[in-house]
């Protein structure tokens, strides 16, 4: 199992953001939170370095990116958490259907459609 550590500038706000996009907080203290969604998980850190956060890209593969997008409404989440505007799922030149969202400290997430991989 691979479980990356993800930085946060505002730890509590980041936990709420990740819960809004479907992750559950499995454990939390003042330093880390284990965030899980099915078999996928990561460790949210109460730690921030701008260069790290703004250059970190993570990929979450979901069964249907369009359905995920409709269920979680990234446009509304971006407004709620004052993040960069999301980009709806679309076929990318590298052959995957991908939507793009940013967390509150600038980490970029690729939401990849698992059934439309080429």
């Amino acid at each position: 199992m691979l479980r990356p550590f993800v930085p946060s500038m505002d730890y509590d706000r980041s936990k709420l953001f990740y819960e809004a996009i479907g992750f559950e907080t499995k454990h939390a203290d003042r330093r880390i939170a284990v965030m899980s969604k099915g078999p996928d998980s990561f460790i949210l850190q109460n730690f921030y370095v701008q260069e790290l956060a703004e250059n970190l890209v993570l990929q979450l593969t979901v069964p249907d990116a369009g359905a995920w997008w409709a269920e979680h409404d990234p446009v509304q989440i971006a407004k709620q958490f004052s993040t960069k505007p999301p980009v709806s799922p679309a076929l990318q030149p590298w052959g995957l259907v991908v939507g793009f969202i940013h967390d509150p400290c600038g980490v970029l997430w690729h939401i990849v459609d698992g059934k439309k991989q080429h």
Side-chain angles (χ1 to χ4, degrees):
M1 172 188 345
L2 177 66
R3 189 184 286 178
F5 283 75
V6 176
S8 65
M9 184 169 25
D10 180 331
Y11 180 66
D12 292 326
R13 185 170 173 230
S14 289
K15 280 192 293 188
L16 291 172
F17 171 85
Y18 284 113
E19 289 170 353
I21 65 168
F23 285 90
E24 294 179 59
T25 303
K26 294 295 186 179
H27 164 81
D29 58 31
R30 290 309 312 153
R31 297 172 302 125
I32 64 162
V34 177
M35 309 300 294
S36 297
K37 181 175 177 59
D40 301 311
S41 65
F42 65 92
I43 298 172
L44 182 67
Q45 304 177 82
N46 191 0
F47 170 81
Y48 176 75
V49 172
Q50 182 176 358
E51 293 80 12
L52 169 63
E54 293 180 357
N55 287 287
L56 182 58
V57 180
L58 298 170
Q59 179 174 294
L60 176 65
T61 300
V62 296
D64 181 327
W68 185 94
W69 212 259
E71 178 182 352
H72 296 290
D73 193 2
V75 171
Q76 182 58 38
I77 290 171
K79 289 177 185 174
Q80 178 182 349
F81 290 94
S82 300
T83 63
K84 294 180 183 178
V87 177
S88 298
L91 182 61
Q92 301 301 313
W94 55 88
L96 296 176
V97 173
V98 182
F100 303 94
I101 61 172
H102 287 85
D103 85 351
C105 74
V107 174
L108 174 60
W109 284 77
H110 287 200
I111 308 301
V112 176
D113 194 312
K115 71 178 176 15
K116 296 182 181 175
Q117 293 189 18
H118 299 281

